[in-house]
């Protein structure tokens, strides 16, 4: 089961929802039937040209796709090495890549006849995207958000409310993304008949890691076309921040079989991997089972899950999508990490040099580009997935810079 | 014959159902938890479910979550739960104990080592909430080799097409989840159970226990009128939680209060079939 086909790394998951040893469906029996129902409905939908055409129409006319591929001339000049491009997912409607997969999933929920949608959210980007799609489709929306995150992401909380969603603060655990995912799972168990759980990342029980990936692959597919048009060749490196890893998987997956493209997933090192206060599941974790899938997790020797820490609410999660765990184990993607401080520095540099205020999540990816680009020749090309805009983070950043708004 | 099979056979001969209380290992501290465990058979427990604390109990409501958090704070772990069972077995060779919990602590312990240690500690069965039959082999095969029963959950959402698959690898008894929901939230109506249990019974000869939402002596009695056992968890943990002082520490009457409640439940369970 660990052997990918020799000519492609894009075949997974297998029939059991696994990527190598990772993935699977580790959920309570109550949820198994609905998860199989989601899988069946998704397999039908993705083979239905009308469904996919409607999704593409929404991406074009509602989200504003394709998102541009921007050559960062000032940043490139500043770094003095490889040419840096941004894939501008922050220009999507709702300000991040999340909407790509949300629209697909909400269309699926509608097709399955589920009138009530639940979602978990960390930074609030997925919650906002879900609330948006539910408003568009006239569905009831309940978003679980850790109480800590509600506090540090106020603008997004208010956005969700404006969009008609109910935001439920989760106080269990540390009140972050992990806990809101637990609570969303509990809601789903209790309301399985009329509810669809719109998972925000490439994690959770199969088929979610695959389904969210498939929808997010629009990022990498567009990037491929755009870079061929701009440069006549593929990039030398792709970089993206990884929490659960949906923006990263969306960019990476269409390039997995292009062996000359180096790929970097950037985990959040928080206050430093050595301090234990980080969110780097691959750098500092072990394989285990949480939230329906087997993957790398931050845990202690007894298998208890540890709290993650990151300045970025969207990366503040102790796990990572199972396909990332597999890509790490087979060595196709290099997983590196970046501290809170490095991300803050990149956040400010990006704002000043490119006139783009990036999400703190995306600033983690950028911080690695700042290290990588100067080591590469000027004729090399890096594409960074600028997965979200930073408006939601200005309060957090201001606080760290000692300013009051 | 396994301890679980023997116990159900005895109860069948007596013509009554089983009371199966659940306590969380190390809640609120190791000594109190151990005193509860030792006291349960005398208070009328026929089988015992011992919860293994986990940070992220996705199928549990606030009551069992609270128990898990207190237990973890008190140093609770899978190894700690096994040690409790070993201590219990020095005095009680007959009352079956089922460990109930989530998969990750077992993976961290090491599956083979866990099955060996669980068996030698005197554990009789395992309920692993987040391990559906599709994923079960890696644990079920070594568990069976150590003569541990794998007890599966059957839910109201498990339809007749799926039931045979769920029941295929099950031994000991069937745990019927009475509601679609997490523990300690609401209860199933008597009529609902009266339809649901015979539906499962058509597919298995194993005893069936009902859990999730069984709180009162009357509900426990109703459960054993249609099924073979009643699991009571959140109601007991609520009593335990209410008995603690402001710092969350056990008071001198904590153990007695919980065991008194078990006695009331046991009395109702023992009287149920006679009354019926």
């Amino acid at each position: 089961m660990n052997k990918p086909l020799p000519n492609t790394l894009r075949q997974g998951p297998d029939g059991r929802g696994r990527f190598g040893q990772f993935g699977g469906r580790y959920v309570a029996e109550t949820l198994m039937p609905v998860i199989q129902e989601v899988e069946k409905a998704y397999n039908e939908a993705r083979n239905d040209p009308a469904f996919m055409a409607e999704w593409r129409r929404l991406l074009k006319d509602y989200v504003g796709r394709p998102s541009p591929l921007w050559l960062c001339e000032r940043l490139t000049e500043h770094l003095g090495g490889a040419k840096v491009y941004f894939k501008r997912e922050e220009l999507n409607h709702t300000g991040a890549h999340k909407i790509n997969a949300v629209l697909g999933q909400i269309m699926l929920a509608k097709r399955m006849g589920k009138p009530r949608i639940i979602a978990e959210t960390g930074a609030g980007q997925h919650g906002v995207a879900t609330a948006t799609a539910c408003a568009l489709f006239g569905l009831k929306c309940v978003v679980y958000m850790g109480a800590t995150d509600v506090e540090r992401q106020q603008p997004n909380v208010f956005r969700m409310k404006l969009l008609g969603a109910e935001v439920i603060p989760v106080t269990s655990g540390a009140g972050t993304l992990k806990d809101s995912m637990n609570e969303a799972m509990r809601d789903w168990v209790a309301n399985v008949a009329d509810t669809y759980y719109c998972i925000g990342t490439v994690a959770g029980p199969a088929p979610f890691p695959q389904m969210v990936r498939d929808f997010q692959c629009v990022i990498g597919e567009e990037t491929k076309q755009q870079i061929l048009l701009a440069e006549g060749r593929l990039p030398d490196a792709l970089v993206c921040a990884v929490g659960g890893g949906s923006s990263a998987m969306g960019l990476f997956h269409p390039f997995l079989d292009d062996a000359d493209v180096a790929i970097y997933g950037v985990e959040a090192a928080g206050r430093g991997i050595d301090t234990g206060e980080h969110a780097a599941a691959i750098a500092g974790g072990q394989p285990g089972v949480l939230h329906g899938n087997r993957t790398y997790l931050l845990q202690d020797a007894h298998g208890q899950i540890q709290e993650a820490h990151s300045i970025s609410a969207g990366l503040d999660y102790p796990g990572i999508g199972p396909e990332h765990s597999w890509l790490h184990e087979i060595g196709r993607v290099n997983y590196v990490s970046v501290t809170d401080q490095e991300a803050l520095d990149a956040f400010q540099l990006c704002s000043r040099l490119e006139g783009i205020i990036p999400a703190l999540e995306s600033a983690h990816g950028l911080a690695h580009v700042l290290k990588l680009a100067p080591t590469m020749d000027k004729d090399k090309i890096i594409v960074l997935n600028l997965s979200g805009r930073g408006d939601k983070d200005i309060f957090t950043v201001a606080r760290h810079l000692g300013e009051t708004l | 014959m396994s301890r679980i099979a023997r116990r159900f056979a005895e109860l069948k001969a007596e013509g009554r159902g089983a009371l199966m209380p659940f306590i969380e290992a190390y809640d609120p501290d190791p000594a109190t938890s151990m005193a509860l465990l030792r006291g349960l058979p005398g208070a009328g427990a026929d089988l015992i479910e011992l919860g293994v604390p986990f940070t992220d109990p996705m199928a549990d409501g606030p009551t069992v979550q609270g128990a898990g958090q207190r237990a973890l704070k008190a140093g609770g772990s899978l190894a700690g739960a096994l040690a409790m069972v070993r201590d219990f077995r020095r005095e009680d060779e007959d009352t079956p104990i089922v460990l109930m919990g989530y998969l990750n602590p077992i993976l961290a312990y090491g599956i083979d080592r866990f099955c060996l240690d669980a068996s030698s500690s005197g554990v009789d069965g395992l309920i692993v909430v987040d391990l559906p039959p599709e994923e079960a082999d890696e644990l079920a095969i070594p568990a069976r080799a150590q003569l541990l029963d794998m007890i599966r959950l059957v839910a109201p959402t498990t339809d007749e097409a799926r039931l045979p698959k769920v029941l295929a690898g099950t031994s000991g008894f069937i745990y019927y989840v009475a509601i679609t929901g997490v523990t300690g939230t609401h209860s199933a109506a008597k009529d609902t159970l009266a339809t649901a249990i015979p539906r499962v019974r058509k597919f298995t000869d194993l005893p069936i226990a009902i859990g999730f939402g069984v709180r009162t002596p009357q509900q426990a009695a109703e459960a054993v009128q249609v099924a073979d056992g009643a699991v009571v968890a959140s109601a007991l943990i609520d009593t335990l939680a209410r008995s603690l002082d402001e710092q969350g520490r056990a008071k001198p009457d904590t153990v007695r209060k919980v065991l008194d409640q078990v006695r009331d439940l046991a009395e109702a369970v023992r009287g149920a079939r006679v009354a019926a």
Side-chain angles (χ1 to χ4, degrees):
Chain A
M1 79 183 174
N2 273 320
K3 283 186 223 114
L5 293 178
N7 57 344
T8 180
L9 299 175
R10 304 192 62 195
Q11 199 74 3
D14 66 15
R16 299 172 66 198
R18 296 198 178 204
F19 306 91
Q21 61 158 319
F22 301 105
R25 285 183 199 90
Y26 295 89
V27 296
E29 174 60 24
T30 313
L31 283 181
M32 274 309 278
V34 72
I35 279 168
Q36 289 171 334
E37 188 191 338
V38 169
E39 181 164 47
K40 185 165 171 284
Y42 173 59
N43 283 331
E44 284 166 11
R46 71 186 172 127
N47 291 309
D48 175 354
F51 179 91
M52 295 309 285
E54 174 60 6
W55 176 64
R56 295 274 173 192
R57 184 185 73 86
L58 288 167
L59 289 184
K60 176 171 166 288
D61 296 337
Y62 189 69
V63 176
R65 299 204 73 93
S67 66
L69 186 69
W70 169 246
L71 171 59
C72 305
E73 293 185 28
R74 296 198 67 213
L75 182 67
T76 299
E77 193 187 316
H78 173 82
L79 295 174
K83 245 190 234 186
V84 178
Y85 282 86
F86 286 172
K87 177 60 174 165
R88 307 258 335 249
E89 290 298 301
E90 104 281 8
L91 291 177
N92 293 337
H93 180 44
T94 72
H97 69 288
K98 295 288 188 188
I99 191 79
N100 302 330
V102 164
L103 283 171
Q105 288 196 69
I106 300 304
M107 284 175 58
L108 186 69
K110 188 121 189 171
R111 189 181 165 108
M112 292 173 69
K114 306 276 186 192
R116 180 175 176 273
I117 306 297
I118 57 171
E120 86 293 340
T121 197
Q125 296 303 89
H126 176 62
V128 167
T130 306
T132 299
C134 287
L136 182 67
F137 282 80
L139 299 174
K140 184 174 164 49
C141 180
V142 176
V143 179
Y144 288 93
M145 187 169 187
T148 308
D149 292 336
V150 168
E151 206 47 53
R152 59 179 166 177
Q153 302 287 345
Q154 277 296 330
N156 273 343
V157 175
F158 188 60
R159 272 185 201 111
M160 287 184 267
K161 288 180 181 165
L162 282 175
L163 292 160
E166 182 187 353
V167 179
I168 301 183
V170 176
T171 51
S172 60
T176 58
L177 184 52
K178 163 174 91 85
D179 310 296
S180 55
M181 200 150 179
N182 287 336
E183 217 48 43
M185 287 275 190
R186 291 180 186 122
D187 179 310
W188 206 17
V189 170
N191 299 291
V192 64
D194 72 340
T195 298
Y196 179 89
Y197 180 14
C198 183
I199 293 183
T201 191
V202 287
F208 286 95
Q210 176 198 357
M211 176 166 60
V212 173
R213 174 200 76 196
D214 290 350
F215 287 130
Q216 291 295 358
C217 274
V218 66
I219 302 172
E221 285 156 9
E222 283 178 10
T223 301
K224 215 168 195 177
Q225 289 176 6
Q226 289 166 321
I227 199 74
L228 285 172
L229 207 64
E231 298 279 351
R233 68 181 187 88
L234 295 180
D236 300 286
L238 302 174
V239 180
C240 187
V242 186
S246 67
S247 56
M249 194 57 71
L251 176 66
F252 298 169
H253 204 263
F255 291 92
L256 288 180
D257 292 333
D258 300 305
D260 294 336
V261 180
I263 306 181
Y264 299 89
V266 184
E267 295 190 296
R271 300 195 173 97
I273 302 287
D274 300 342
T275 67
E277 293 181 71
H278 61 82
I282 284 180
Q286 297 290 329
V289 167
L290 178 71
H291 293 153
N293 60 171
R294 183 186 296 254
T295 193
Y296 275 82
L297 298 170
L298 300 181
Q299 55 180 312
D300 68 14
H302 298 289
Q304 305 295 343
I305 308 303
Q306 292 173 317
E307 297 295 343
H309 165 82
S310 170
I311 189 175
S312 148
L315 302 180
D316 206 347
Y317 180 71
I320 185 170
E323 194 167 9
H324 284 291
S325 291
W326 177 67
L327 290 169
H328 163 67
E329 285 214 339
I330 63 168
R332 176 62 185 99
V333 176
N334 304 303
Y335 292 88
V336 296
S337 59
V338 149
T339 63
D340 287 351
Q341 188 57 51
E342 290 170 322
L344 271 171
D345 295 343
F347 180 95
Q348 295 171 80
L349 188 75
C350 185
S351 304
R352 292 192 187 163
L353 283 181
E354 291 297 329
I356 296 170
I357 301 176
L360 276 171
E361 292 77 26
S362 315
H364 281 75
L366 179 60
H368 186 69
V369 171
L370 302 185
K371 298 176 190 174
L372 185 64
T375 69
M376 294 166 67
D377 292 337
K378 289 191 176 187
D379 61 346
K380 301 290 184 191
I381 300 165
I382 300 175
V383 176
L384 170 75
N385 188 358
L386 200 83
S387 54
R389 68 176 180 225
D391 307 43
K392 68 184 174 60
D393 293 315
I394 57 173
F395 297 98
T396 305
V397 173
R399 199 165 54 247
H400 280 271
L401 300 179
E403 294 194 25
T404 10
L405 298 187
Chain B
M1 191 186 265
S2 77
R3 221 179 254 128
I4 291 175
R6 199 184 322 135
R7 178 52 52 97
F8 275 107
E10 289 162 7
L11 294 176
K12 194 171 184 185
E14 286 178 41
R16 68 177 182 89
L19 175 66
M20 307 169 56
F22 170 103
I23 60 169
E24 183 94 342
Y26 276 54
D27 174 28
D29 61 75
T32 306
S33 187
M34 194 62 223
L36 275 173
L37 184 62
R38 284 209 173 96
L40 282 173
D46 298 305
L47 294 87
I48 297 170
E49 286 189 15
L50 186 62
V52 178
F54 181 50
T55 38
D56 295 82
M58 279 179 297
D60 287 304
T63 298
V64 180
Q65 288 175 44
Q69 282 161 9
R70 287 190 298 271
L72 288 170
K73 217 172 145 189
S77 64
L78 181 52
L82 292 178
M84 283 178 67
V85 179
R86 279 197 298 279
D87 287 350
F88 177 87
R89 280 281 169 252
R90 289 200 202 112
E91 296 162 13
D92 187 319
E93 261 303 316
D94 303 319
T95 311
I97 295 189
V98 173
L99 287 190
M100 182 159 183
Y102 294 80
L103 182 60
N104 203 54
I106 296 175
L107 294 178
Y109 195 99
I111 283 181
D112 289 335
R113 187 164 76 93
F114 165 71
C115 291
L116 213 60
D117 290 358
S119 181
S120 67
S121 299
V123 170
D124 302 291
L126 308 175
I127 302 175
V128 185
V129 178
D130 54 352
L131 191 70
E134 285 80 354
E135 306 287 357
D137 279 359
E138 67 172 321
L139 178 62
I141 293 167
R144 214 169 293 134
Q146 294 300 326
L147 306 177
L148 295 165
D149 282 319
M150 285 296 288
I151 294 143
R152 293 257 170 80
L153 304 178
V154 171
T157 51
T158 313
D159 64 19
E160 296 197 359
R162 184 172 165 75
L163 256 175
K165 180 177 214 166
V166 176
L167 297 175
T170 305
S171 59
F173 63 93
I174 309 293
Y175 189 125
Y176 185 76
V177 176
I179 53 161
T180 51
V182 295
T183 53
T185 47
H186 62 280
S187 305
K190 191 182 171 187
D191 297 351
T192 312
L193 293 173
T195 335
I197 301 302
R199 184 178 68 104
V200 181
R201 191 88 78 188
K202 276 195 296 183
F203 291 87
T204 181
D205 295 328
L206 287 172
I208 302 172
I210 296 176
F212 285 48
V214 183
R215 300 187 64 89
T216 65
Q218 192 193 335
Q219 286 167 336
E222 286 168 7
V224 296
Q225 279 163 13
V226 291
D228 307 297
V231 180
V232 183
S234 293
L236 295 174
I237 295 170
D238 280 337
T239 300
L240 182 149
R242 271 198 306 272
S243 80
L244 305 176
D245 70 14
E246 295 81 30
Q247 277 85 44
R249 290 175 305 207
K251 290 202 284 206
D253 61 356
T254 293
V255 173
R256 182 183 57 77
K257 279 182 170 163
V258 176
L259 294 182
D260 280 352
Q261 191 178 2
V262 173
R263 274 183 204 98
D264 290 346
L265 289 160
E267 194 184 334
V269 164
R270 285 161 200 238
R273 298 268 177 86
V274 184

